[in-house]
Amino acid sequence: MNAFLSDTRHLLIRHLRTTIRIPIWIAVTIIQPVIWLTLYGQLFRRVVEIPGFGAASYIQFLTPGVVIMTALFGSAWAGMGILEDLTDGVMDRMLATPVSRAALITARVLHASVTVTAQSIIILLFGMALGARIPGGLPGFAAILLMGALLGAGFSALSNGLALVTRREETLIAVINFFGLPLTFMSTAFMAADLMPGWIRRIAGANPVNWAVDASRQAMLGGNWSEVVKTCLMLLGFALVSVWISTQAFRAYRRSS
Amino acid sequence: MIAKAREITFTIMDAIVDAIVIENLSKTYANGVKAVDGVTLKIKQGEIFGLLGPNGAGKSTTVRMLTTLTAPSGGGAQVAGCDIARDPSGVRARIGYVAQASGVDKWATGRENLALQARLMRVPSAEVESRVTRLLQWVRLEEAAQRIVKTYSGGMKRRLDLAMGLVNDPGVLFLDEPTTGLDPETRAALWSDLIRLRKERNLTVLITTHYLDEADRLCDRLAIIDKGKVVVEGTPAELKALIRGDTVSLEVGEEAPRAVDLLRSVAGVLQTLQDGATVIARVEQGATALPVLITALEKSGVAVRSATLGRPSLDDVYMHHTGHRFTGEAAK
Ligand SMILES: Nc1ncnc2c1ncn2[C@@H]1O[C@H](COP(=O)(O)OP(=O)(O)OP(=O)(O)O)[C@@H](O)[C@H]1O
Ligand SMILES: [Mg+2]
């Protein structure tokens, strides 16, 4: 257990260090959400006027959607990092040491959570600058960060698992392109649930992205805390199942190499 | 009763004396390639053992099984007293491994790479700093220690790989083509360092290489493997002594294929081989055979442009056992 914790810590530091050293990553991290918020905020500004939309301003509505969407896309690419380690021989070098196997996956999942949290803070602050309000206060703010982090943990674990099974960048890119936008649009990130076609609403009910978007909006308003807690637990479940899947993928990878 | 006790003592002694015991080790990959086919070897503590063989012979696969990276499909092995299948973590803690392809993290500095490797190898926290500094000096990377590895040259990366393999003071070191891509000076430095480590700490080294001069000078014993099987094993001197006679190399140009046929029927010729424009013949007595061979060729209209005479080298040993010339193989 001690070895697991200490290995996880050192590997997490390594991943964070790598992230900081790739300046383009930082630039994209900051610029992309800014573009989302300003562009979509302007483009769909008048959507709120549709009867039944039920939100005060679109930026208010959009901000939690962009937080969660960024959490999804920020973590879905996590598998690229493990592929880089496979091709660079870094994975083999580490597997020939007594390093805790679980730590190799856990550190990557935690890394995704940490970077997603940093992105979420930037987006929330920028959204507030554009006029979004958080009546839910600090607890609301923290709850959104937590849900983003849990969602990021889950998708980064799935991404790592897929990378380990397919061992090809192309596959990972294709899968993310195929599922990324539908996962986003089959949620209330951009459109109120009441205005969605029934079948999309039903799919959205099984979509962790949608859980997180809905509950983030609740947390922002600070009203329905029991719903927020319930969603946090569901997202925790999603993250744990995903981590379990990726550890199985890792086991399969080690057996087959 | 006494006999029994002695037997037990002997097995324990064996376990201590042999750093690596490989028994009938085999590996068939999922795609059906039989990469290693029943390799059996014993490597003593403090020995530098070379594994030679053409591309695809199964050298890396053997090393990967011994370092617990790949599960064998048959047979087994003990490394540093631990069974690779039953106690893989025991093996991992006691070995150093330098893979054929570099395994350094290109986004970290040399120092960070070594420090993380030290942590993962369970080096006590208090010792990490000093050990990293010492190793950086040893591989002459102090100057570049704070630079990101992405900016390193191939040779610098290789030297860092070597330092990483030694960070836990291993009892057994696996080096898979460690000197490929190194300049002659660094190669020579590595050889003397390995010999020093062996002397000071009784380090066991299993090294695969494509350089016969390296194997000849560095290795106490070596094995040539081909198509996943050990074809011959012994000290470099023993292997050379196994090959009778001298080698005569005759440069004949385009006529080489015909010259090989002609030489084969000359009395006293033990083996012939074509190597490009040159034919090589192994004979009992080089000095007496040389004029005979040249006359035989000239009589049939094959002009000999030059002739050299030599004692069997490791290259000839290799040729004898695998049927192809080593240098040609490595150059491919
Ligand atoms: N992961 C793998 N999956 C399938 N086949 C493999 C794999 N790795 C190696 N092989 C095959 O196994 C055989 C032995 O390969 P190996 O890498 O052990 O040879 P080698 O002696 O190290 O060669 P080289 O001198 O080129 O490094 C080759 O035919 C190779 O194509
Ligand atoms: Mg190899």
Side-chain angles (χ1 to χ4, degrees):
Chain A
M1 195 63 198
N2 245 338
F4 166 75
L5 291 178
S6 127
D7 286 346
T8 304
R9 193 180 107 221
H10 289 112
L11 291 168
L12 176 61
I13 292 171
R14 175 200 164 213
H15 295 316
L16 290 172
R17 212 169 42 202
T18 307
T19 302
I20 293 170
R21 285 186 186 157
I22 306 177
I24 187 75
W25 185 89
I26 299 174
V28 168
T29 306
I30 296 171
I31 293 166
Q32 207 181 31
V34 167
I35 291 176
W36 282 114
L37 281 179
T38 41
L39 193 72
Y40 284 84
Q42 289 296 309
L43 191 64
F44 297 128
R45 193 158 38 108
R46 301 193 50 205
V47 170
V48 283
E49 292 167 19
I50 300 173
F53 196 90
S57 76
Y58 192 63
I59 196 72
Q60 180 80 24
F61 181 81
L62 184 65
T63 302
V66 171
V67 167
I68 297 305
M69 189 182 91
T70 310
L72 165 65
F73 281 101
S75 57
W77 293 107
M80 294 303 242
I82 216 167
L83 283 178
E84 193 176 26
D85 272 3
L86 295 188
T87 39
D88 286 354
V90 173
M91 184 60 86
D92 273 350
R93 193 242 304 161
M94 288 186 176
L95 285 175
T97 74
V99 65
S100 151
R101 273 47 188 159
L104 287 172
I105 292 291
T106 310
R108 286 184 180 279
V109 171
L110 288 180
H111 169 244
S113 295
V114 172
T115 51
V116 159
T117 303
Q119 285 174 306
S120 303
I121 293 173
I122 295 170
I123 300 164
L124 283 173
L125 293 179
F126 190 70
M128 286 163 78
L130 289 181
R133 293 289 161 260
I134 307 188
L138 218 52
F141 199 102
I144 298 174
L145 296 188
L146 177 64
M147 287 186 277
L150 287 171
L151 192 78
F155 279 108
S156 74
L158 291 179
S159 175
N160 280 313
L162 187 68
L164 285 166
V165 170
T166 64
R167 294 180 217 177
R168 291 173 59 103
E169 280 190 12
E170 294 87 340
T171 316
L172 198 61
I173 293 169
V175 170
I176 293 170
N177 283 335
F178 188 81
F179 286 106
L181 285 181
L183 279 173
T184 312
F185 283 103
M186 292 192 182
S187 80
T188 57
F190 296 102
M191 188 53 69
D194 290 344
L195 299 177
M196 284 179 176
W199 66 274
I200 291 190
R201 212 176 322 150
R202 273 191 291 282
I203 295 177
N207 178 3
V209 177
N210 187 57
W211 308 342
V213 173
D214 272 350
S216 292
R217 221 160 261 148
Q218 306 272 12
M220 207 161 165
L221 295 174
N224 201 343
W225 287 112
S226 67
E227 189 63 29
V228 172
V229 171
K230 195 184 112 198
T231 305
C232 284
L233 290 175
M234 280 161 72
L235 287 171
L236 179 65
F238 166 69
L240 291 177
V241 169
S242 302
V243 167
W244 181 81
I245 291 173
S246 74
T247 48
Q248 294 308 306
F250 194 32
R251 206 163 280 170
Y253 165 81
R254 281 181 283 141
R255 258 201 311 271
S256 69
S257 66
Chain B
M1 192 63 200
I2 290 167
K4 182 95 185 169
R6 185 173 293 165
E7 213 175 283
I8 291 164
T9 333
F10 269 122
T11 31
I12 294 169
M13 293 267 292
D14 275 349
I16 295 167
V17 173
D18 286 317
I20 306 175
V21 182
I22 309 173
E23 280 156 56
N24 206 18
L25 199 62
S26 303
K27 175 73 187 185
T28 307
Y29 282 107
N31 59 2
V33 174
K34 191 149 200 169
V36 177
D37 188 5
V39 166
T40 299
L41 288 170
K42 274 190 183 169
I43 298 164
K44 287 196 268 301
Q45 184 71 51
E47 201 166 39
I48 300 182
F49 192 93
L51 217 48
L52 293 174
N55 289 131
K59 305 180 294 293
S60 295
T61 305
T62 305
V63 171
R64 288 178 56 85
M65 286 192 280
L66 297 176
T67 52
T68 76
L69 288 172
T70 297
S73 33
Q78 282 89 49
V79 175
C82 304
D83 189 280
I84 57 167
R86 260 167 291 162
D87 185 13
S89 359
V91 174
R92 290 170 195 144
R94 289 168 177 78
I95 61 165
Y97 168 53
V98 176
Q100 184 167 349
S102 174
V104 290
D105 175 2
K106 58 176 181 268
W107 294 108
T109 67
R111 180 172 283 278
E112 287 163 352
N113 261 294
L114 275 166
L116 178 60
Q117 182 76 357
R119 298 284 181 180
L120 300 186
M121 274 295 193
R122 313 268 179 263
V123 172
S125 297
E127 283 176 41
V128 170
E129 195 61 32
S130 60
R131 205 176 287 192
V132 166
T133 306
R134 184 167 51 78
L135 282 166
L136 283 166
Q137 270 164 8
W138 183 66
V139 292
R140 296 178 288 120
L141 284 175
E142 310 113 294
E143 305 254 307
Q146 309 292 357
R147 263 165 51 197
I148 287 182
V149 168
K150 208 169 159 50
T151 67
Y152 282 23
S153 72
M156 289 165 81
K157 246 187 255 177
R158 208 62 188 139
R159 269 150 43 207
L160 182 58
D161 275 323
L162 287 166
M164 307 261 275
L166 285 167
V167 84
N168 59 329
D169 267 329
V172 181
L173 183 60
F174 292 91
L175 301 173
D176 199 352
E177 297 191 25
T179 54
T180 308
L182 288 187
D183 58 273
E185 197 189 330
T186 314
R187 266 177 80 195
L190 174 68
W191 296 348
S192 54
D193 285 327
L194 286 178
I195 289 167
R196 197 187 75 208
L197 283 172
R198 190 255 315 265
K199 201 160 78 188
E200 287 173 4
R201 277 188 256 153
N202 210 24
L203 177 72
T204 308
V205 181
L206 178 63
I207 180 171
T208 81
T209 180
H210 274 282
Y211 299 110
L212 289 169
D213 59 330
E214 184 164 280
D216 205 352
R217 262 194 262 173
L218 185 63
C219 298
D220 302 309
R221 282 194 310 135
L222 47 91
I224 293 175
I225 72 170
D226 194 21
K227 300 192 181 80
K229 285 187 160 70
V230 175
V231 285
V232 68
E233 180 197 342
T235 66
E238 277 168 5
L239 296 187
K240 281 184 270 187
L242 275 179
I243 307 278
R244 274 193 301 148
D246 301 323
T247 48
V248 178
S249 304
L250 302 163
E251 197 194 335
V252 292
E254 273 142 40
E255 296 277 28
R258 197 156 68 89
V260 169
D261 284 340
L262 288 168
L263 290 182
R264 207 164 281 153
S265 49
V266 176
V269 172
L270 302 168
Q271 196 186 19
T272 56
L273 187 106
Q274 184 196 335
D275 181 22
T278 306
V279 285
I280 299 143
R282 200 157 48 76
V283 294
E284 293 280 5
Q285 271 290 330
T288 49
L290 189 56
V292 178
L293 297 182
I294 294 176
T295 317
L297 290 180
E298 299 274 346
K299 226 171 21 194
S300 305
V302 177
V304 177
R305 292 175 199 165
S306 71
T308 42
L309 184 63
R311 288 285 308 143
S313 63
L314 218 43
D315 206 356
D316 298 305
V317 174
Y318 188 87
M319 173 184 99
H320 178 70
H321 289 288
T322 65
H324 27 239
R325 216 160 170 77
F326 193 88
T327 41
E329 196 68 39
K332 251 185 220 167

